Structure formats: C-alpha cells, structure tokens
C-alpha cells in the first residue's frame, strides 16, 4: 500500500501525515507492505524523521518501504518557509544523517 503526501495542493491532499497513517495500518495488518511515496527530506527534521520511520518499521516488523525525494516544486518549499535554493544541500545533509553516515550524535549535527 502506497501512502502519498501532498500538503501544498489542498484539493489533492488526502494524507497529510503518512507515517502516522502507516503506523495505524501496520498495527492492524500482518503481511501488507506499507510505503511512503516520497518524504521530502529538505523539509523534514532529520532526527525526528529517523525516529518516526524507525517506530513504524518496528510496529510493522520490517514492512515499511521508506520513499524519499526532494520535490521539484518551489511552491512546496514556500509553504514551509524554506528557500528552494537550499533544497539540494538540505537533502544531502538529511540523507547523510538518515543513512548513518552522519555524526553519531545527530542531535549535535552542525548542518546548514
């Protein structure tokens, strides 16, 4: 089951919190795989995202498929007050932390 996220398009937004919905689905099912279509890494706090994804993965017993992306729509970034020009650097930093290549103390990470 794939859970999309589209908060910048009000008429199309059907799932504003895909990891929350994924945990509810995981708690009620045993075999279905649950995927997030694309989490926009530049718009997320890396530590919080890692914790939420890990929680869903535990509840689902490894059935979470965690999709990531950057989004090519500047309007998405405007909704969060983040300059689109920073998206590549923010994506790389967040991915570094999520993949475990970043500092062991992510809460002390001095990124931009």
């Amino acid at each position: 089951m794939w859970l999309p996220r589209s908060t910048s398009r009000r008429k199309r937004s059907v799932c504003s919190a895909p990891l929350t919905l994924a945990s509810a689905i995981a708690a009620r099912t045993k075999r279905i795989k649950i995927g997030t279509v694309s989490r926009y890494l530049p718009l997320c706090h890396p530590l919080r995202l890692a914790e939420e994804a890990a929680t869903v993965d535990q509840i689902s017993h490894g059935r979470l498929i965690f999709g990531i992306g950057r989004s090519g729509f500047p309007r998405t970034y405007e909704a969060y007050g983040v300059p689109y020009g920073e998206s590549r650097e923010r994506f790389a930093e967040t991915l570094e932390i999520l993949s475990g290549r970043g500092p062991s103390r992510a809460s002390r990470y001095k990124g931009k």
Side-chain angles (χ1 to χ4, degrees):
M1 171 177 287
W2 290 100
L3 304 172
R5 180 173 187 191
S6 180
T7 55
S8 62
R9 298 179 195 161
R10 290 184 190 179
K11 292 182 181 179
R12 293 183 60 199
S13 182
V14 294
C15 183
S16 63
L19 287 174
T20 302
L21 184 56
S23 70
I25 293 167
R28 290 168 175 79
T29 63
K30 298 292 180 205
R31 296 184 310 201
I32 190 168
K33 292 195 183 282
I34 307 154
T36 59
V37 172
S38 186
R39 295 301 309 221
Y40 300 146
L41 296 188
L43 301 176
C44 299
H45 186 283
L47 187 56
R48 181 177 183 133
L49 182 61
E51 291 171 343
E52 290 177 4
T55 299
V56 174
D57 198 49
Q58 287 294 312
I59 292 169
S60 71
H61 301 286
R63 294 180 288 136
L64 178 65
I65 302 168
F66 191 64
I68 61 169
R70 198 182 101 212
S71 179
F73 299 105
R75 183 175 21 175
T76 302
Y77 287 80
E78 291 170 10
Y80 283 86
V82 175
Y84 183 71
E86 297 176 5
S87 66
R88 285 181 191 235
E89 189 173 18
R90 285 174 175 257
F91 178 89
E93 286 182 353
T94 303
L95 184 59
E96 182 179 7
I97 291 169
L98 290 176
S99 65
R101 293 188 310 248
S104 59
R105 302 264 182 212
S107 61
R108 296 183 192 166
Y109 188 74
K110 299 294 182 199
K112 297 188 181 189

